[in-house]
Amino acid sequence: MSDLLRVYFDPSEIGRDGYPHVWHSESEAAVQKEWAALQKAHPQLLGSLSLMIERVDKAETVIFYRLQAGPLADKKAAGQLCGSLKQQGQDCIVVAK
């Protein structure tokens, strides 16, 4: 399992659904596998959320996939989720998207 969950909310989306980014990999299949592990490890927090995978092209040869979970209502909700995950021993930060 990942050491650090990155939970973020796009400030331009105030009043819309927010999606925390919780993990990334160079493989979409690995992201799906990690999501299953995270939901199993934190069923009360992540069990009802949906997986969203964001493809990121950093350079012509660097492509990775971000694991995001949601929807969450706003930055406050993302922060509360992150805080709850920390209480369960999962490192987590909230960053602006």
Side-chain angles (χ1 to χ4, degrees), residues 11-24:
S12 69
E13 296 291 314
I14 293 172
R16 299 182 184 179
D17 293 338
Y19 299 94
H21 167 193
V22 294
W23 196 72
H24 73 271

Side-chain angles (χ1 to χ4, degrees), residues 2-22:
S2 63
D3 294 328
L4 177 66
L5 294 182
R6 293 181 183 216
V7 179
Y8 67 81
F9 173 77
D10 185 342
S12 69
E13 296 291 314
I14 293 172
R16 299 182 184 179
D17 293 338
Y19 299 94
H21 167 193
V22 294

Side-chain angles (χ1 to χ4, degrees), residues 26-67:
E26 293 180 359
S27 160
E28 192 170 353
V31 170
Q32 292 171 343
K33 184 176 178 181
E34 182 66 12
W35 175 242
L38 286 167
Q39 281 192 307
K40 186 175 181 179
H42 308 286
Q44 296 296 323
L45 298 174
L46 302 175
S48 66
L49 300 179
S50 298
L51 168 65
M52 291 158 300
I53 299 174
E54 178 185 14
R55 179 185 163 127
V56 178
D57 297 307
K58 284 291 187 183
E60 290 182 26
T61 58
V62 179
I63 297 171
F64 63 92
Y65 300 88
R66 288 181 177 151
L67 186 158

